[in-house]
Amino acid sequence: MQYDDVKKVILKKLETELPKHFFYHSVAHAKDVLKAAINLGKKEKINGDDLIMLKTAALFHDSGFLFGAKDHEANSCKIAKELLPNFKYSNNQIEKICEMIMATKIPQSPKNHLEEILADADLDYLGRDDFFKISNLFFEELVMAGTLTNENEWNILQVKFIEKHNYFTKSADKLRRQKKEGHLAIIKSKLSGND
């Protein structure tokens, strides 16, 4: 698998072709999820080809946004199936990568360890110090798409989402759950201030 080569190609594609109104689902998000996947992958003792496939899935997981938000996971798989054979990925490896990508679809439904790691990496920011900065980008993206009109709607949506969310791996749970719960409390206090 020629990971370094395909990494350059997909990052360049995301940088130059992604519509600019994807403030959250941007090349920065792909890099962020890649970094989180590497971190969690190492903590979860993933190495060799599995680590390469995990990193590849992280890079491609939201590439489907090149065609818009609708069905972006399936479109991400189409892009992976199109590009990866040119970089010496086998059909079996591509299939596993696509299964990891599909596991990030909300509500997340990972079926194996690698899928759990990518699902956790995709939502790693929920329990990090940069949570509010990143969630604000997501809010702006949803306002631009006409999905939301104000911050109150966003806070209600976030509370519902975070209350239902659980990390799948022990590493992500240990690393991020406590801070995530703190963020949830802050959002709830903002909402109760609106009464």
Side-chain angles (χ1 to χ4, degrees):
M1 290 179 279
Q2 298 168 329
Y3 168 76
D4 289 333
D5 295 334
V6 81
K7 178 183 176 184
K8 282 183 201 135
V9 169
I10 193 63
L11 287 177
K12 182 88 179 136
K13 199 171 176 59
L14 293 173
E15 234 164 64
T16 57
E17 296 176 33
L18 259 181
K20 295 296 173 233
H21 62 270
F22 291 124
F23 305 117
Y24 170 79
H25 291 100
S26 62
V27 71
H29 175 66
K31 289 176 181 174
D32 184 58
V33 173
L34 172 62
K35 188 176 168 187
I38 293 167
N39 183 32
L40 290 174
K42 287 181 178 163
K43 287 184 186 309
E44 292 286 316
K45 311 271 186 275
I46 303 299
N47 50 44
D49 284 356
D50 281 351
L51 185 60
I52 294 171
M53 287 188 293
L54 175 65
K55 293 191 307 188
T56 305
L59 284 169
F60 277 82
H61 86 284
D62 275 343
S63 59
F65 274 89
L66 290 163
F67 303 110
K70 189 176 171 2
D71 300 324
H72 69 268
E73 296 91 356
N75 285 326
S76 296
C77 288
K78 279 183 195 161
I79 294 167
K81 286 175 180 173
E82 208 174 277
L83 284 179
L84 294 177
N86 306 323
F87 296 91
K88 299 196 171 22
Y89 284 73
S90 71
N91 287 340
N92 186 33
Q93 289 164 335
I94 294 167
E95 204 45 53
K96 284 181 181 171
I97 288 164
C98 285
E99 286 165 3
M100 281 185 255
I101 290 168
M102 293 311 293
T104 65
K105 189 179 169 94
I106 305 293
Q108 295 177 324
S109 55
K111 293 172 188 65
N112 62 44
H113 197 200
L114 287 176
E115 291 176 21
E116 288 176 350
I117 295 168
L118 186 62
D120 284 351
D122 192 23
L123 296 174
D124 186 63
Y125 82 98
L126 292 176
R128 287 195 328 230
D129 291 336
D130 57 357
F131 167 76
F132 287 103
K133 183 180 157 204
I134 291 175
S135 80
N136 196 44
L137 292 173
F138 204 176
F139 169 62
E140 286 175 29
E141 185 177 305
L142 292 171
V143 168
M144 185 70 95
T147 313
L148 293 173
T149 55
N150 62 58
E151 198 177 331
N152 204 46
E153 288 176 351
W154 174 233
N155 287 334
I156 291 166
L157 193 68
Q158 288 205 102
V159 166
K160 279 185 195 162
F161 184 77
I162 297 170
E163 281 182 339
K164 279 187 195 161
H165 174 267
N166 287 302
Y167 287 111
F168 298 98
T169 62
K170 282 191 176 84
S171 301
D173 193 59
K174 189 178 167 189
L175 207 58
R176 303 293 183 217
R177 180 163 42 113
Q178 196 176 355
K179 191 154 271 189
K180 182 186 80 167
E181 286 169 0
H183 295 145
L184 178 61
I186 292 168
I187 299 165
K188 282 181 167 177
S189 74
K190 281 183 186 179
L191 281 171
S192 63
N194 290 337
D195 293 344

